[in-house]
Amino acid sequence: QVQLVESGGGSVQAGGSLRLSCDASGYTYSRTCMGWFRQAPGKEREWVARIDTHGTTIYSYSVGDRFTISTENAKNTLYLQMNRLKPEDTAMYYCAADSTRYDFCSDRSQDYNYWGQGTQVTVSS
């Protein structure tokens, strides 16, 4: 059974950094598209970043070069390094896996078939 577990969220002041982790069991990252999404209260879930099996990374315009998505396949762990955090980055962050693709990854949440439980990130001004 596939299971994704996020960690690393917390509270930080604007301009600070956090690193989120997503540990997977039941399959290997090297064969799937992986993504990070976030959802703020009262808003729809928003795609943040994605990575394919070739290591190609794509980011949403809202995070640009402030965030970095990466994987450590030996540990079956997905990361999201978040730098220069802003109050508008405050949200619940979710990692997700699309086991039906290994490249040409999607940025639509409905295309991802496995999800973690989320980790809260709060950025104060």
Side-chain angles (χ1 to χ4, degrees), residues 24-87:
S25 60
Y27 77 104
T28 59
Y29 282 143
S30 62
R31 301 175 184 174
T32 64
C33 284
M34 298 298 302
W36 285 98
F37 292 77
R38 66 186 182 186
Q39 188 167 18
K43 295 188 177 181
E44 292 188 354
R45 188 165 295 188
E46 173 192 19
W47 165 72
V48 174
R50 64 182 190 259
I51 184 169
D52 69 13
T53 58
H54 309 298
T56 301
T57 58
I58 307 290
Y59 300 91
S60 69
Y61 178 79
S62 61
V63 305
D65 63 354
R66 298 185 298 119
F67 291 10
T68 301
I69 187 172
S70 62
T71 60
E72 188 170 357
N73 291 337
K75 293 185 177 181
N76 231 21
T77 302
L78 177 74
Y79 299 102
L80 185 68
Q81 178 67 44
M82 305 185 296
N83 298 326
R84 307 196 311 274
L85 283 160
K86 304 176 181 180

Side-chain angles (χ1 to χ4, degrees), residues 96-111:
D98 177 1
S99 63
T100 67
R101 309 168 200 247
Y102 57 89
D103 60 10
F104 297 102
C105 302
S106 171
D107 58 3
R108 303 189 314 165
S109 60
Q110 57 264 44
D111 290 331

Side-chain angles (χ1 to χ4, degrees), residues 112-124:
Y112 287 77
N113 50 344
Y114 296 107
W115 291 83
Q117 82 290 347
T119 185
Q120 178 68 37
V121 172
T122 302
V123 185
S124 58

